[in-house]
Amino acid sequence: MYVAAELEEPGIWAGIKEHDAVVFYDNDFEIFIDPDGDTHNYFEIEVNAVNTIFDLFMPKPYRNGGPALRNWDVQHLQSAVTTEGTVNNANDIDRKWFVEMAIPFRSLSLEHVVKVPKDQATWRINFSRVAWDTEIIKGLYVKQTDPGMHRPKPEHNWVWSLQGVVNMHLPERWGFLHFSTQKAGASNKDFPALPAEQVKKYLWLLYYKQQDYRRKHKEYATELSTMNIPGVVEAPGLHCTISLEATPSQYIAIAAAATGSEIWQITHEGKINKISAP
């Protein structure tokens, strides 16, 4: 997978040079990849303006208790950073910096099984840019602090695919990366329709409502009606049924469209996947 980014920056700076240090404490560019779109077992790669890499593997998101496995590395990653300006020189005005990466598919595979995407495959992916407010003090870039707080102002987070909240670890809100054997160009068809996403969005609605219910009642709802979720959903081009199997401590919800054979399920940990048709 080849990725390139162009980041405009009037003052290019970076101080972190140790691999797997927390790179987003500098201005950085970040890549998030979930090959199978189940919101678990996804990858994160961060890089700053001196090409320091912070790569990690998430068995599941932080919201579900997932640990960040920082000892995971993108094996055979190739990365490069070039600049139009000078890094850590506050005496001039810079223009931009560029990131280029070649990420082997085998490094984004689990259980030693290389899964090269096939024609028409779709992955979930997003890109983020972290930018801190700085000022120049004694010829050095220094993060601005909140008055009286004695700590840096919150960073800015710019994303490629809007998520509606400042939290990159919501894989169900990332964008889509579609693979095709067709040559890229104006003659290509529009981005393909993804009918399964229409079904899955109702499972995510249920998941969010269950999260709210648990925060209020210290347990999950065991009936759809408790959350005002209908058992049958009618929408333009969609007819699907939703069922819930739940205890106060866990649940599985299933959605099945009237057309097609795909049936999807989501668990209380937010893992979503396709199951066999009955």
Side-chain angles (χ1 to χ4, degrees):
M1 178 187 297
Y2 293 93
V3 176
E6 177 182 339
L7 303 100
E8 295 182 356
E9 189 80 64
I12 302 174
W13 62 274
I16 298 172
K17 298 181 180 180
E18 180 183 354
H19 176 76
D20 275 351
V22 183
V23 166
F24 63 76
Y25 290 143
D26 285 348
N27 289 352
D28 79 348
F29 174 70
E30 304 177 358
I31 306 170
F32 297 82
I33 305 170
D34 182 7
D36 60 9
D38 68 352
T39 76
H40 286 211
N41 299 320
Y42 60 89
F43 309 93
E44 177 180 350
I45 307 170
E46 303 178 3
V47 61
N48 65 7
V50 292
N51 199 28
T52 301
I53 299 293
F54 178 28
D55 45 8
L56 59 139
F57 173 73
M58 295 293 297
K60 52 187 176 181
Y62 292 116
R63 67 185 175 196
N64 304 117
L69 302 183
R70 296 169 60 170
N71 60 344
W72 175 83
D73 292 322
V74 187
Q75 297 295 323
H76 308 291
L77 170 70
Q78 297 181 65
S79 67
V81 171
T82 55
T83 63
E84 289 187 8
T86 52
V87 181
N88 295 328
N89 182 356
N91 296 317
D92 61 5
I93 298 177
D94 307 310
R95 293 193 61 227
K96 61 185 70 174
W97 54 291
F98 303 87
V99 175
E100 296 177 85
M101 287 189 183
I103 307 170
F105 287 123
R106 65 180 179 273
S107 297
L108 302 177
S109 302
L110 302 175
E111 299 176 351
H112 305 290
V113 178
V114 179
K115 296 181 179 179
V116 177
K118 298 180 180 179
D119 182 40
Q120 303 305 307
T122 301
W123 290 11
R124 299 305 295 262
I125 193 169
N126 213 346
F127 306 95
S128 172
R129 178 183 181 180
V130 170
W132 298 85
D133 291 323
T134 61
E135 56 187 331
I136 299 173
I137 299 177
K138 297 181 179 180
L140 300 175
Y141 293 110
V142 179
K143 291 179 183 176
Q144 294 182 11
T145 57
D146 282 319
M149 297 297 290
H150 305 292
R151 62 186 180 189
K153 292 182 178 179
E155 76 280 8
H156 301 281
N157 294 270
W158 302 352
V159 298
W160 170 69
S161 182
L162 297 180
Q163 301 194 157
V165 63
V166 183
N167 182 354
M168 290 305 299
H169 293 274
L170 302 175
E172 71 276 9
R173 300 190 183 193
W174 297 350
F176 297 93
L177 172 62
H178 186 68
F179 294 89
S180 174
T181 56
Q182 296 182 3
K183 185 177 180 180
S187 62
N188 276 3
K189 296 180 180 179
D190 293 334
F191 193 91
L194 301 172
E197 297 304 316
Q198 287 294 102
V199 177
K200 289 159 67 176
K201 75 178 184 181
Y202 290 99
L203 290 179
W204 283 114
L205 174 62
L206 183 150
Y207 173 83
Y208 295 139
K209 283 180 172 289
Q210 282 282 36
Q211 294 294 92
D212 289 339
Y213 189 91
R214 191 184 189 196
R215 278 192 287 269
K216 294 176 182 178
H217 303 283
K218 310 302 180 184
E219 63 181 18
Y220 292 117
T222 57
E223 300 289 340
L224 291 175
S225 58
T226 306
M227 299 175 287
N228 295 318
I229 294 179
V232 177
V233 174
E234 298 279 1
L238 177 67
H239 175 99
C240 74
T241 59
I242 299 176
S243 59
L244 175 66
E245 297 180 10
T247 69
S249 60
Q250 59 186 358
Y251 68 87
I252 293 177
I254 295 174
T259 58
S261 59
E262 290 188 355
I263 300 176
W264 293 87
Q265 74 171 17
I266 194 168
T267 70
H268 63 279
E269 288 195 322
K271 185 173 184 179
I272 192 165
N273 61 281
K274 183 169 64 175
I275 60 177
S276 300

